[in-house]
Amino acid sequence: MPVMRAFVLTAPGAYEVRAVPAPEPAPGEVVVGVERVGVCGTDVEFFTGRMAYLQQGHSAYPMRLGHEWAGRVAAVGDGVDPVWIGRRVMGDTMLGCGTCRRCLRGRHHVCDGRQEVGIRGDRPGALAERLAVPVSSLHVLPDTVDATLGALVEPGGNALRAVQAARLAAADRVLVLGPGTIGLLVALFARAAGTEVHLMGRTDNSLAFARALGFAHVWREGEVPDLPFDAVIDASNAAHLPATALDAVEPGGRVVYVGLAGEPSRIDTRALVLKDVTAVGILSASPGLDATIRAYADGSVDPRPLVAATVGLRQAGPVLAGERPPGAGPGPKFHIDPGLS
């Protein structure tokens, strides 16, 4: 039986790079040769054992992480057109059942019975040399979207959907809370739409990096100027910032929540009502993947500077543990290339 190398998380903080059986494509599936995988906050939560899915029974160790990926189709299963072989692709993380009311209405990303690649439902992730996924989840990458950009489509789709939910006009002003990967992607998409973008963060390094990306309006928490913000997008993991977002937004404006805290957040719904504010929650990149690919392909958004380093499978554990590889740049994102030693 053919084998491949894979990063396997066996318990909180415990992992191995081991030889595992290489996947064979089931009917309706393809096998992708993985070229690049992004490490995200969800992966870190699994590494620390704090991810809620572990307590809810949706996930269990041992598991293979990796849901932000790009690669090339290497094999197809029964019922899949062989024309897919050799195509460069990325894939939707959310795999709905396909038959429930939500799936039939195009909301497979909130299907109760969904699998999530590398996250939920025992669907192995992309931290391996090969990955099996349904052909229906694939999105083709044009030549102008390289492996780095391809692995940034999934987080970019979340950010794009947050900006779309804010319904920003070119003359509007938006405040983005949290200059991490998602917050910076939100800022990039909002800037591409012609919006005046403000970012709020805590650390000198994150604020300096945001300025290096060309964002002039960068503030520490507690120092944001008293300006009318037509929308506020919370891309942080701080439990108190959802309330800050509601306080900061203009009456009649919109607050968008795309970040998740490790404990419950609370807002005063009296303020929500009395300010006539619309609040929107964003889960999943699924409806925004194609538009994100187009934005990367035409260059209107270029998130490549966010990637601080690309390392091999053996360095995935230290990265998940919070270590920055030697020579890493200032960005918040790390990529894994399973082809590296």
Side-chain angles (χ1 to χ4, degrees):
M1 176 181 292
V3 298
M4 66 175 183
R5 293 189 313 137
F7 178 90
V8 181
L9 188 61
T10 56
Y15 58 89
E16 300 174 2
V17 176
R18 61 169 69 154
V20 302
E24 296 289 337
E29 290 190 345
V30 304
V31 168
V32 175
V34 181
E35 296 176 347
R36 200 64 49 86
V37 189
V39 175
C40 97
T42 300
D43 300 318
V44 174
E45 288 185 346
F46 278 118
F47 186 82
T48 61
R50 297 192 183 101
M51 176 59 183
Y53 280 0
L54 293 166
Q55 288 73 49
Q56 295 166 353
H58 295 308
S59 309
Y61 304 113
M63 64 184 302
R64 199 168 81 212
L65 303 173
H67 61 278
E68 303 174 1
W69 60 269
R72 192 179 295 271
V73 177
V76 300
D78 290 345
V80 179
D81 192 331
V83 74
W84 279 100
I85 295 176
R87 284 183 174 172
R88 298 181 55 254
V89 295
M90 62 78 57
D92 194 342
T93 299
M94 305 300 208
L95 309 179
C97 72
T99 59
C100 72
R101 184 173 186 267
R102 294 173 193 170
C103 286
L104 294 175
R105 293 186 171 201
R107 298 172 184 161
H108 67 277
H109 58 292
V110 288
C111 167
D112 274 343
R114 70 185 181 274
Q115 293 182 319
E116 298 178 27
V117 176
I119 297 175
R120 168 177 165 148
D122 198 29
R123 170 65 71 163
L127 280 181
E129 293 174 314
R130 293 201 168 195
L131 170 72
V133 291
V135 68
S136 58
S137 71
L138 298 182
H139 294 256
V140 176
L141 299 176
D143 291 340
T144 50
V145 177
D146 60 15
T148 297
L149 288 174
L152 286 165
V153 170
E154 200 279 340
N158 280 279
L160 173 61
R161 288 193 65 218
V163 172
Q164 291 173 334
R167 297 188 182 177
L168 297 166
D172 284 348
R173 180 183 293 117
V174 62
L175 174 63
V176 181
L177 307 181
T181 296
I182 297 297
L184 290 171
L185 284 165
V186 165
L188 289 170
F189 277 104
R191 182 169 67 185
T195 307
E196 180 183 312
V197 179
H198 293 245
L199 284 143
M200 189 191 86
R202 288 182 174 180
T203 70
D204 291 338
N205 288 342
S206 66
L207 298 177
F209 182 68
R211 292 189 187 96
L213 292 177
F215 293 104
H217 308 297
V218 179
W219 316 102
R220 280 189 170 278
E221 186 172 356
E223 298 177 358
V224 177
D226 186 16
L227 295 170
F229 292 105
D230 302 287
V232 180
I233 301 175
D234 177 14
S236 77
N237 60 2
H240 69 287
L241 287 186
T244 299
L246 182 55
D247 288 342
V249 73
E250 269 284 276
R254 298 174 76 88
V255 290
V256 181
Y257 297 113
V258 66
L260 285 174
E263 59 189 79
S265 301
R266 300 187 185 279
I267 62 171
D268 187 342
T269 57
R270 294 172 299 182
L272 188 76
V273 172
L274 294 172
K275 293 179 74 171
D276 197 27
V277 166
T278 300
V280 183
I282 296 296
L283 171 73
S284 165
S286 301
L289 295 174
D290 286 334
T292 300
I293 292 171
R294 288 194 296 270
Y296 291 175
D298 67 22
S300 57
V301 174
D302 181 6
R304 279 175 287 204
L306 274 61
V307 180
T310 300
V311 298
L313 285 175
R314 295 196 179 279
Q315 287 76 49
V319 166
L320 286 163
E323 297 181 20
R324 295 185 72 86
K333 195 73 174 175
F334 293 94
H335 276 179
I336 309 296
D337 179 349
L340 296 177
S341 59

